[in-house]
Amino acid sequence: MDKAPAFQALTVETLPARLGAVEALASRIGADSSRWDVREVGDGNLNLVFIVKGEKGGAVVKQALPYVRLVGESWPLPLKRSFFEYHALVRQEARAGEGTVPAIYHFDEAQALIVMEYLTPHVILRRALIDGRMPPKIARDLGLFMARTLFRGSDLSMKARARKEDLALFAANAELCDITESLVFTDPYYEAAMNRHTAPQLDALVAELRADRDLKVEAQKLKHMFAANAETLVHGDLHSGSIMVTDEDTRVIDPEFAFYGPMAFDVGMLLANFWMAYFSQAGHEGAGHEKAGDREAQRAYLLGVIVETWSVFREEFSHLWRSERTGMLYDRRLYEDRGDRLGSEQALDRILHDIWVDMLGFAGVEIHRRILGLAHNADFETIEDEDLRATCEAKALKFGRHICVNRERIHGLDEINALAVRFEKDLVA
Ligand code: SR1
Ligand code: MG
């Protein structure tokens, strides 16, 4: 049997010749590869991303590199992450529905590349929020996406053997989990070599957070949960840079960090990114034609998105609990089949309560790592005035600490959003 050719990174110049014979690509964009227009557009931390356009249309080619692009060849990373991304996309589409993730046209494991749908005129959600746009459907689409993928990938829905086999498959995504375990849960809380923060403005606050025993205990407890609670297939990197939007459409992309972990992780990471967008708005006021204060509507929109995302998640999760609970957990024979619907509702309330509490913890550490760790986000990074950026970041850091440490005592969306407003207006010591 022929061996698959060894991995070789694509370039703008080599892509047409190397992929010209891939039928799934040629049939979509046009067979004459000499006429393809190729652009490398990857601005993420890890991979190459090409947009390829031909006479019939366009497609995206995403290829993993054997190292972390953000850092360079000194940080090797397995190509197999592309395999996990492909398998996660397949499962997410099956669980959340067609049109929630990009359609996959072709997967080449040896070349670590996925050919997928070119989403246009979509933009990255993070960019849209920085620009002051208010895509109207994101809360509903993302609430549904999370409820459906997280419920249907768990023992609440899947047959026990199928889930355990899948868990074993994704357990090999260890290096990507290791990135999260280090960069999210540990590095922000000590002077790790690759950390950076806006200095000297944040120095005192950063020292305070690194000396904060309660915070560090919580961060390690959350890390333990992340590593040991293999509850469902999570996306694993569900931030606003992993979502593409138009006003009508929402797509979740980039699930290469997928693994079996806690349901609350995806929810917490997503809401953390909305809260960071909220705290960064002051830094984008006055941009272009806008005057100071012009981002008030954007702030209200973001708090509304947080409320709606959680409400839709909760409602859909509850609906699936009642209609699709076919796994080995909370067996219907213990509840509905013997007329005890209230018992099953009590169990549901408890599960949702646990997701809520853990979600707040994961959100808190995600906020911290984006300001103190290696991988920052554009919401804050694009604020050029460093004093203004630090002011926004400090509020977010304090809010993150509060929701992480006090998460058992925060009871609902009104309370959490009122807290966000108080931190934003500097009304909290
Ligand atoms: C070294 S990778 C840094 C970050 O980029 C990815 O998008 C993940 O969020 C990861 O933590
Ligand atoms: Mg990514």
Side-chain angles (χ1 to χ4, degrees):
M1 224 169 70
D2 287 347
K3 263 183 74 185
F7 172 84
Q8 222 185 334
L10 292 162
T11 65
V12 167
E13 291 74 31
T14 61
L15 187 148
R18 287 187 55 202
L19 301 189
V22 174
E23 171 59 22
L25 182 56
S27 63
R28 267 178 188 91
I29 71 173
D32 183 355
S33 63
S34 68
R35 297 181 62 188
W36 291 357
D37 171 48
V38 184
R39 274 185 307 132
E40 206 277 313
V41 295
D43 62 353
N45 295 328
L46 299 180
N47 309 297
L48 295 171
V49 182
F50 300 91
I51 294 176
V52 189
K53 289 185 188 161
E55 55 209 353
K56 284 170 70 180
V60 162
V61 176
K62 178 172 176 181
Q63 187 179 38
L65 288 166
Y67 54 85
V68 174
R69 184 176 184 171
L70 173 69
V71 175
E73 295 186 24
S74 61
W75 187 345
L77 203 59
L79 294 172
K80 193 154 182 197
R81 64 186 186 274
S82 170
F83 168 93
F84 296 116
E85 175 163 356
Y86 166 72
H87 282 282
L89 283 166
V90 169
R91 284 155 184 70
Q92 288 167 344
E93 183 175 74
R95 289 171 188 158
E98 212 175 298
T100 57
V101 297
I104 301 296
Y105 302 148
H106 175 72
F107 171 55
D108 181 335
E109 189 175 349
Q111 296 304 319
L113 69 83
I114 305 173
V115 182
M116 62 185 109
E117 186 178 0
Y118 171 42
L119 298 169
T120 181
H122 299 62
V123 292
I124 292 287
L125 175 58
R126 193 187 300 288
R127 190 69 250 168
L129 299 179
I130 292 169
D131 290 344
R133 290 174 53 183
M134 303 182 200
K137 284 184 73 245
I138 54 170
R140 182 170 168 72
D141 291 345
L142 294 168
L144 290 177
F145 178 85
M146 292 191 296
R148 290 172 181 169
T149 55
L150 300 177
F151 184 94
R152 290 176 174 153
S154 77
D155 273 325
L156 294 171
S157 168
M158 289 179 78
K159 296 293 168 223
R161 167 164 286 280
R163 198 191 76 89
K164 285 185 170 67
E165 283 172 2
D166 213 42
L167 192 159
L169 182 96
F170 280 91
N173 204 8
E175 288 80 1
L176 280 276
C177 289
D178 177 58
I179 288 181
T180 307
E181 285 152 8
S182 301
L183 295 193
V184 176
F185 297 101
T186 300
D187 290 5
Y189 302 107
Y190 80 105
E191 292 72 23
M194 289 185 296
N195 283 350
R196 66 189 169 86
H197 63 260
T198 308
Q201 293 89 337
L202 292 180
D203 286 352
L205 178 56
V206 173
E208 205 181 295
L209 293 171
R210 289 187 180 147
D212 187 329
R213 288 196 189 117
D214 292 342
L215 176 61
K216 288 195 287 186
V217 168
E218 290 311 322
Q220 290 309 294
K221 192 169 168 191
L222 289 156
K223 181 177 183 175
H224 189 175
M225 221 182 284
F226 176 87
N229 184 3
E231 203 176 16
T232 191
L233 183 67
V234 297
H235 177 285
D237 199 27
L238 192 54
H239 53 76
S240 50
S242 296
I243 296 158
M244 296 193 72
V245 292
T246 64
D247 278 359
E248 292 78 34
D249 194 32
T250 311
R251 303 292 186 103
V252 175
I253 63 171
D254 279 5
E256 64 206 317
F257 283 77
F259 79 112
Y260 276 80
M263 292 184 179
F265 185 71
D266 278 356
V267 188
M269 185 178 274
L270 180 65
L271 296 196
N273 278 266
F274 291 145
W275 275 310
M276 283 188 276
Y278 172 80
F279 284 106
S280 73
Q281 289 303 312
H284 304 300
E285 268 168 2
H289 62 280
E290 294 172 331
K291 295 188 205 73
D294 280 1
R295 290 294 178 117
E296 209 42 52
Q298 184 74 2
R299 274 191 278 269
Y301 161 80
L302 286 162
L303 295 185
V305 164
I306 291 164
V307 172
E308 193 186 344
T309 303
W310 174 258
S311 308
V312 170
F313 170 79
R314 195 188 159 94
E315 266 166 43
E316 181 66 5
F317 193 96
S318 303
H319 166 71
L320 297 173
W321 172 275
R322 290 169 195 133
S323 58
E324 287 188 17
R325 211 171 72 248
T326 50
M328 55 97 159
L329 287 178
Y330 302 92
D331 196 313
R332 303 183 90 84
R333 286 172 297 188
L334 300 172
Y335 300 106
E336 287 87 345
D337 293 358
R338 48 190 293 128
D340 188 14
R341 210 180 68 83
L342 282 182
S344 139
E345 292 296 302
Q346 184 177 324
L348 169 63
D349 283 349
R350 184 152 181 192
I351 286 184
L352 286 168
H353 171 76
D354 289 346
I355 296 175
W356 166 262
V357 169
D358 298 340
M359 172 280 280
L360 292 176
F362 288 125
V365 293
E366 166 69 4
I367 292 173
H368 286 168
R369 73 92 170 218
R370 293 291 185 188
I371 300 171
L372 306 181
L374 166 74
H376 288 222
N377 62 24
D379 308 62
F380 295 119
E381 291 295 288
T382 54
I383 304 173
E384 279 174 24
D385 177 335
E386 291 189 0
D387 290 337
L388 181 55
R389 187 199 310 151
T391 304
C392 296
E393 290 176 326
K395 292 172 184 177
L397 285 172
K398 290 179 193 168
F399 174 77
R401 192 259 174 209
H402 186 94
I403 61 174
C404 183
V405 170
N406 298 297
R407 62 187 190 280
E408 304 269 3
R409 294 181 287 279
I410 298 172
H411 297 300
L413 286 160
D414 291 344
E415 190 179 338
I416 190 87
N417 275 350
L419 260 173
V421 172
R422 280 172 52 211
F423 276 90
E424 210 281 324
K425 293 191 185 310
D426 244 342
L427 301 174
V428 187

